Amino acid sequence: MLYAVISQDTPNTLALRLETRPAHVDRLNALLEQGRLILAGPHPAVDSEDPGDAGFTGSLVVAEFESLEAAQSWADADPYMAAGVYASVTVKPFKKVLP
């Protein structure tokens, strides 16, 4: 089943986010290689593809997991969580309708 991993950033953690990004992206690439990643990306803090110093307010990942517990466990192990970039993470079942 698909799950949405919706994360909210801790304020003023852009530098920490950038420092931790390679490890975070490695985990996403592992899901991609397994054919389980549907989409992933950050939420810019301003209405721009490149928010610059404004940074980001969180992230969204939609991926396939065996269960809600497996999705939550994956989310809890994210390097952004360990580094304190994420203040909170919500994991919900997701039903893709379109496209």
Side-chain angles (χ1 to χ4, degrees):
M1 179 164 190
L2 296 178
Y3 295 88
V5 180
I6 307 156
S7 308
Q8 297 297 315
D9 280 14
T10 302
N12 303 312
T13 56
L14 178 59
L16 189 56
R17 176 186 261 273
L18 296 175
E19 178 183 319
T20 311
R21 187 174 187 274
H24 171 77
V25 171
D26 284 348
R27 296 180 80 238
L28 293 170
N29 280 326
L31 287 178
L32 182 63
E33 290 169 6
Q34 296 165 10
R36 297 170 42 203
L37 183 63
I38 304 303
L39 63 88
H43 300 286
V46 294
D47 190 12
S48 174
E49 286 282 323
D50 181 1
D53 290 340
F56 302 92
T57 61
S59 301
L60 171 65
V61 175
V62 177
E64 183 178 350
F65 292 94
E66 293 177 12
S67 65
L68 178 59
E69 293 78 18
Q72 184 69 59
S73 178
W74 183 88
D76 290 344
D78 194 289
Y80 282 170
M81 282 295 292
V85 174
Y86 288 159
S88 65
V89 177
T90 301
V91 180
K92 298 180 177 186
F94 181 81
K95 181 179 176 182
K96 183 179 175 186
V97 175
L98 293 171

